[in-house]
Amino acid sequence: MKSLFVSALASLLALAFHSVASAQDAARATLPPASAAADQQAQEAERILRAQVLLDRAHFSPGEIDGAYGFNMRQALAGFQKSRALPVSGQLDQATWNALNADNTPTLATYTIEQADVAGPFRPVPEDMVAKAALPALGYSSPQEGLGEKFHASPALLERLNPGKNLSRAGEQILVPNVLGSAALPQAARVVVSKNGRILMLYDASNRLLAQYPASTGSEHDPLPIGKWKVNGVSLDPVYNYNPKLFWDAAPGDKKVTIAAGPNNPVGVAWIDLSKPHYGIHGTPTPALIGKTESHGCIRLTNWSAAEVAGLVAAGTEVVLQD
């Protein structure tokens, strides 16, 4: 079932969202009549992708948009339901679907790849911290990675949405999740991180849930420091000071190094420093793993979520870390 979804998604979505596809896209997407089962599967694929885009636009992030219904999407749906006083199930029921579609923005948008998207330099990112420190910047490894972060999507989804397109060529018109230009949020009065829920939530002063993001929140070796803390400050595009003494899994002989800024920096594009020493909320170079893997005690978000949260908190904002 999954392989059929992967092979059919690009052409089916180009047909379904003809309002944003070019005539060339639509012509390329023409398919022979499909079986009823394939039609139903295509409709469900469209529904899931649209729900992910609308959740992202509503600031209840499903994480990296990939067209798949998994844990992060269930948590996003549950958070959205809570914020709209709907029964909290984590399921895409009719009431939730109707509430999401109050935003009638098309699911996909056309985007012309800009020169800045493909200018680079692009280089593989080494795993070793010392090797990372030798690089002048921790930029993207490919144009596809950068486009994925710009549109909150997995590079694989962008490839499936754009068969035959060159995602490394400036001037190429492609289809992308329509996540840009959503309504801005007010400043947050409180941040709450749920260890078991693997989510970070923002609340306003009246305790209204404003937004929710999937998060990686510690491990057995580096547990989340449960309690109430404060934001000390916010740094955008931070350098990363690696101290092997703070990591139980550091390689023998590792030394302190400073790693240049960039989206593939170990803390991504934003660092929100907490009053608990050595702990913070930050981005990550691996958005597909957020909410699915452990961290070294800090709270990891996708880069785009970390950047959004960084703009909504300030020194003194309360941060509650809970089970």
Side-chain angles (χ1 to χ4, degrees):
M1 182 173 182
K2 183 176 180 181
S3 61
L4 179 60
F5 161 70
V6 169
S7 62
L9 180 60
S11 52
L12 288 167
L13 286 174
L15 284 172
F17 304 121
H18 58 84
S19 61
V20 296
S22 65
Q24 181 181 358
D25 292 327
R28 185 179 67 244
T30 303
L31 293 175
S35 67
D39 284 344
Q40 184 176 5
Q41 186 179 41
Q43 291 171 8
E44 184 61 17
E46 295 167 21
R47 181 178 166 95
I48 290 172
L49 181 59
R50 177 160 180 77
Q52 287 188 330
V53 170
L54 293 177
L55 284 165
D56 187 287
R57 291 181 60 83
H59 305 285
F60 286 84
S61 172
E64 189 178 64
I65 295 172
D66 58 5
Y69 183 85
F71 180 83
N72 286 344
M73 183 173 175
R74 288 195 296 273
Q75 291 297 78
L77 284 166
F80 178 82
Q81 289 163 341
K82 179 181 177 182
S83 75
R84 300 310 194 267
L86 295 169
V88 177
S89 65
Q91 301 296 316
L92 188 54
D93 54 43
Q94 192 61 48
T96 305
W97 182 245
N98 292 344
L100 283 169
N101 277 287
D103 179 352
N104 59 9
T105 302
T107 305
L108 301 179
T110 55
Y111 177 72
T112 301
I113 296 176
E114 299 177 354
Q115 184 60 40
D117 296 320
V118 298
F122 302 106
R123 56 171 66 90
V125 180
E127 291 292 329
D128 181 73
M129 291 292 186
V130 174
K132 280 185 171 74
L135 298 177
L138 271 293
Y140 293 117
S141 61
S142 68
Q144 291 85 347
E145 184 184 24
L147 289 168
E149 292 219 347
K150 177 177 283 190
F151 296 105
H152 308 177
S154 75
L157 177 69
L158 292 181
E159 295 280 1
R160 297 200 299 270
L161 289 174
N162 297 283
K165 295 284 189 173
N166 183 352
L167 272 63
S168 299
R169 186 178 72 85
E172 190 84 90
Q173 282 200 336
I174 61 173
L175 291 172
V176 297
N178 198 0
V179 296
L180 303 184
S182 58
L185 289 171
Q187 287 293 111
R190 183 165 57 102
V191 178
V192 177
V193 176
S194 168
K195 172 185 172 183
N196 295 330
R198 287 179 263 168
I199 51 175
L200 180 149
M201 297 163 282
L202 300 181
Y203 290 85
D204 67 11
S206 63
N207 204 37
R208 178 171 65 98
L209 179 58
L210 297 173
Q212 179 181 294
Y213 313 88
S216 293
T217 59
S219 67
E220 179 182 353
H221 291 279
D222 300 288
L224 188 71
I226 303 302
K228 292 185 178 181
W229 312 96
K230 298 283 186 182
V231 171
N232 280 341
V234 175
S235 298
L236 299 179
D237 292 318
V239 298
Y240 179 68
N241 296 305
Y242 173 65
N243 182 353
K245 292 182 179 179
L246 301 177
F247 294 86
W248 62 269
D249 55 351
D254 271 5
K255 298 179 180 180
K256 290 182 179 181
V257 292
T258 299
I259 297 172
N264 271 309
N265 178 291
V267 294
V269 301
W271 171 265
I272 302 168
D273 192 47
L274 300 183
S275 55
K276 171 71 174 175
H278 309 302
Y279 281 83
I281 300 165
H282 62 84
T284 181
T286 52
L289 300 182
I290 292 300
K292 302 171 186 178
T293 58
E294 297 178 332
S295 75
H296 283 95
C298 289
I299 299 98
R300 291 181 187 171
L301 308 175
T302 65
N303 272 337
W304 55 90
S305 295
E308 181 165 89
V309 173
L312 299 171
V313 300
T317 302
E318 182 183 30
V319 179
V320 180
L321 308 182
Q322 61 188 30
D323 286 325

